[in-house]
C-alpha cells in the first residue's frame, strides 16, 4: 500500500462516493457543487490536498483531506515561533472495504508524509467515530463539551459596543488574545471565512437567514460567529471574553442574532480560557452537554512537541 495525492479527476470520483456520508440536505449534484466551491475558496487553494491510500494494483482503499493551518510554538525565551500544522478531514473508506485497517494505514502513512514537511508542528482532526481508531496512529484526545443557548428576541447590537461584518474578520481576529500555552493552533481570516462560505452554501436549504453580523465587540472582549454548516444554528467560532460581564454581553448578542436569523440555538464549544465564565449562563437556559462527534485529537509531527491539556481547539479550527 502507498499514499498518493489525488488528481482533480480523482477528487471528483471521491466526491461521488462520499456523498452518502456527508451529502445531507443536498442532491448529489448539489454536493458535488459544494465540494468544488469549497475547494475554490482562497483558504483551500492555499494548501488543501486530497490523499489516497492505494493498493499495489492501484485500487483506492481509503482517502482523506488535509488543510495547512497556522500554529505557534514557544521557544525557551518565551517567543512565538510560527510553523505549519495540518487539519485532517473527510477520512473515508467505502463500506465494502471497511474492517481491514485501511483508515489506520492511511493515517500512519499520512503522518510520515507530513513529518517531512518543513516547519511541521502537529496534525489536528475532529473525529466523528470516537477516539479509538485515531489513537492507534498516535492521536491524543482532548476534552469536548458544548454549551447550547436558546435564542432570545431583541436587537443584537444593544448589549455590545459594536457588531462585526465580514470585512471586520481580520481586525477582530487581531484583537483576540493568543493562548498562554507552549503550543497552539491559530486560524487565519481566510480560514474563518471558509466556515462562513459553508453557511452561504447551506442557507437556502435550512429555512433561515444568513446572520447579518459575524460577531461583536464588548469592551476588550470579542466573539466571532456564523451559520457554518448543515444545521440551523449560530455557531461561535472564536470567543475571547475578558470578564464575566463582557462574556454575558457577547453571548446575549449572539442569542439575539440567532433569533433575528431564525436559528434554533447558539452553540459554544467550551475552551479552557472561558470555561469558568459559562456556568453563569445556566440560569438563562444554557445547558452543557458532551459533544456528539467532532472530538478534537492531536498528533505531534516533531519530537518533543509540548501538548498542554489546556490546548484550546475553538470551532474556528474545525474542518
Amino acid at each position: 500500500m502507498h499514499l498518493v495525492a489525488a488528481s482533480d479527476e480523482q477528487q471528483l470520483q471521491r466526491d461521488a462516493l462520499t456523498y452518502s456520508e456527508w451529502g445531507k440536505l443536498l442532491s448529489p449534484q448539489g454536493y458535488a457543487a459544494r465540494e468544488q466551491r469549497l475547494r475554490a475558496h482562497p483558504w483551500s487553494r492555499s494548501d488543501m490536498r486530497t490523499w489516497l491510500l492505494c493498493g499495489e494494483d492501484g485500487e483506492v482503499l481509503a482517502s482523506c483531506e488535509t488543510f495547512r493551518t497556522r500554529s505557534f510554538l514557544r521557544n525557551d525565551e518565551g517567543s512565538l515561533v510560527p510553523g505549519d500544522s495540518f487539519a485532517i478531514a473527510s477520512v473515508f473508506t467505502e463500506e465494502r472495504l471497511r474492517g481491514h485497517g485501511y483508515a489506520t494505514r492511511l493515517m500512519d502513512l499520512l503522518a510520515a508524509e507530513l513529518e517531512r514537511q518543513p516547519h511541521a508542528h502537529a496534525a489536528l482532526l475532529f473525529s466523528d467515530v470516537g477516539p479509538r481508531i485515531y489513537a492507534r496512529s498516535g492521536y491524543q484526545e482532548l476534552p469536548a463539551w458544548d454549551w447550547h443557548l436558546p435564542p432570545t428576541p431583541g436587537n443584537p447590537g444593544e448589549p455590545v459596543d459594536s457588531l462585526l461584518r465580514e470585512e471586520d474578520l481580520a481586525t477582530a481576529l487581531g484583537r483576540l488574545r493568543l493562548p498562554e500555552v507552549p503550543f497552539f493552533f491559530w486560524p487565519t481570516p481566510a480560514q474563518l471565512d471558509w466556515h462562513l462560505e459553508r453557511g452561504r452554501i447551506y442557507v437556502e436549504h435550512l429555512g433561515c437567514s444568513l446572520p447579518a453580523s459575524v460577531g461583536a465587540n464588548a469592551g476588550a472582549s470579542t466573539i466571532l460567529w456564523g451559520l457554518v454548516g448543515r444545521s440551523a444554528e449560530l455557531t461561535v467560532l472564536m470567543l475571547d471574553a475578558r470578564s464575566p460581564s463582557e462574556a454575558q454581553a457577547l453571548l446575549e448578542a449572539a442569542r439575539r442574532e440567532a433569533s433575528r436569523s431564525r436559528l434554533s440555538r447558539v452553540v459554544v464549544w467550551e475552551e479552557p480560557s472561558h470555561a469558568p465564565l459559562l456556568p453563569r449562563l445556566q440560569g438563562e437556559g444554557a445547558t452543557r452537554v458532551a459533544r456528539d462527534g467532532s472530538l478534537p485529537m492531536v498528533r505531534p509531527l516533531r519530537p518533543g512537541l509540548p501538548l498542554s491539556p489546556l490546548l484550546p481547539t475553538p470551532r474556528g479550527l474545525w474542518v
Side-chain angles (χ1 to χ4, degrees), residues 17 27 42 49 67 72 116 158 167 186 193 209 258 300 305-306:
L17 291 171
S27 67
R49 294 185 181 183
F67 297 76
F72 294 90
R116 292 192 286 268
E158 186 176 315
E167 58 268 25
W186 199 247
D193 185 75
S209 303
L305 186 83

Side-chain angles (χ1 to χ4, degrees), residues 211-234:
S213 61
V214 301
N217 292 327
S221 301
T222 297
I223 190 172
L224 294 170
W225 60 55
L227 169 68
V228 300
R230 299 174 298 183
S231 299
E233 301 171 342
L234 189 72

Side-chain angles (χ1 to χ4, degrees), residues 64-174:
C64 70
E65 298 170 349
T66 58
F67 297 76
R68 190 182 299 266
T69 189
R70 289 193 302 177
S71 54
F72 294 90
L73 180 64
R74 295 187 188 276
N75 62 20
D76 293 339
E77 290 75 40
S79 299
L80 291 176
V81 179
D84 292 326
S85 288
F86 299 87
I88 299 174
S90 305
V91 180
F92 180 77
T93 305
E94 293 178 65
E95 188 172 356
R96 66 183 179 86
L97 296 171
R98 293 172 187 170
H100 299 285
Y102 294 143
T104 298
R105 184 61 175 154
L106 170 67
M107 301 306 290
D108 291 343
L109 290 176
L110 179 61
E113 173 69 25
L114 298 178
E115 285 171 351
R116 292 192 286 268
Q117 301 298 309
H119 317 299
H121 280 163
L124 171 69
L125 61 81
F126 296 90
S127 173
D128 289 327
V129 294
R132 184 171 58 89
I133 189 172
Y134 298 113
R136 297 172 188 161
S137 297
Y139 284 83
Q140 303 174 35
E141 181 184 6
L142 296 173
W145 292 89
D146 291 350
W147 285 83
H148 296 164
L149 286 67
T152 187
N155 177 3
E158 186 176 315
V160 294
D161 297 330
S162 61
L163 293 175
L164 303 173
R165 308 300 176 188
E166 290 180 12
E167 58 268 25
D168 300 322
L169 273 179
T171 302
L173 190 59

